[in-house]
Amino acid sequence: AQSVSQHNHHVILSEAASLELGCNYSYGGTVNLFWYVQYPGQHLQLLLKYFSGDPLVKGIKGFEAEFIKSKFSFNLRKPSVQWSDTAEYFCAVNGGSQGNLIFGKGTKLSVKP
Amino acid sequence: NAGVTQTPKFRVLKTGQSMTLLCAQDMNHEYMYWYRQDPGMGLRLIHYSVGEGTTAKGEVPDGYNVSRLKKQNFLLGLESAAPSQTSVYFCASKTGGYNEQFFGPGTRLTVL
């Protein structure tokens, strides 16, 4: 069965620091990968997605992610975080014949002003 | 477009009571999903539907039932609520294929 691992449970950064959140998945076939963000008290919103092509994917709000097939990874990055990036971030991979998403357990990001 | 909406936003139940959560989408999506979100557990799929009149079990279906009588609506029922069902419930929808899911605002349910 497919699974998604997010290595960091809680990351605390100061504003302007660089961010990298790890995501690894287990699946040997073609994958579609997603990063969602959940701001405090809100629903999940799509940050970016990878289906095929350029493994470096750019999303909203200055986020990007790199798909490294050999490492089964899809890490999320941002060069300089802001206080408004405080949120929980979820990595997800499509799973099953119905295209259901398998989510990681999430990483909470706290940005200190 | 309203996107995905959920009713109610908050609910408190006593053990053994029943209730129905309503999810509605106005994007003409075929697929709809119910998840629960618990601290440190991420999102876990309860049930899903690939079209009107069809439903299927997800990862954690026990204690829940669903119905998709209309394409735009997906109902989640709890027949006899238990404290273990205290959670935040999210509905999502998408088009066919491996596309992104669009999420509703969530329902916070507390079972005492």
Side-chain angles (χ1 to χ4, degrees), chain A residues 32 36 38 43 49 51 100, chain B residues 33 37 90 98 100-101 104:
Chain A
N32 297 312
Y36 281 85
Q38 185 179 30
H43 62 285
K49 61 186 178 185
F51 282 6
N100 296 341
Chain B
Y33 304 84
Q37 183 182 29
F90 286 100
Y98 297 99
E100 69 264 32
Q101 296 180 14

Side-chain angles (χ1 to χ4, degrees), chain B residues 67-95:
Chain B
S67 65
R68 182 104 182 263
L69 299 179
K70 294 183 179 180
K71 186 177 183 179
Q72 63 268 34
N73 295 337
F74 194 29
L75 279 63
L76 178 71
L78 286 73
E79 291 184 348
S80 179
S84 60
Q85 294 177 303
T86 292
S87 186
V88 181
Y89 292 86
F90 286 100
C91 176
S93 71
K94 76 174 182 71
T95 57

Side-chain angles (χ1 to χ4, degrees), chain A residues 9 32 34 36 38 41-46 49 51 88 90 94-106, chain B residues 31 33 35 37 39-45 48 50 57 88 90 94 97-106 108:
Chain A
H9 178 62
N32 297 312
F34 305 83
Y36 281 85
Q38 185 179 30
Q42 295 189 25
H43 62 285
L44 276 75
Q45 302 170 46
L46 183 69
K49 61 186 178 185
F51 282 6
E88 190 159 15
F90 293 93
N94 66 281
S97 59
Q98 305 296 342
N100 296 341
L101 289 180
I102 308 297
F103 284 88
K105 293 186 177 181
Chain B
Y31 292 65
Y33 304 84
Y35 295 91
Q37 183 182 29
M41 300 294 290
L43 276 81
R44 292 181 292 170
L45 182 64
Y48 64 99
V50 301
K57 294 180 180 179
V88 181
F90 286 100
K94 76 174 182 71
Y98 297 99
N99 295 310
E100 69 264 32
Q101 296 180 14
F102 294 82
F103 284 81
R108 185 173 294 274

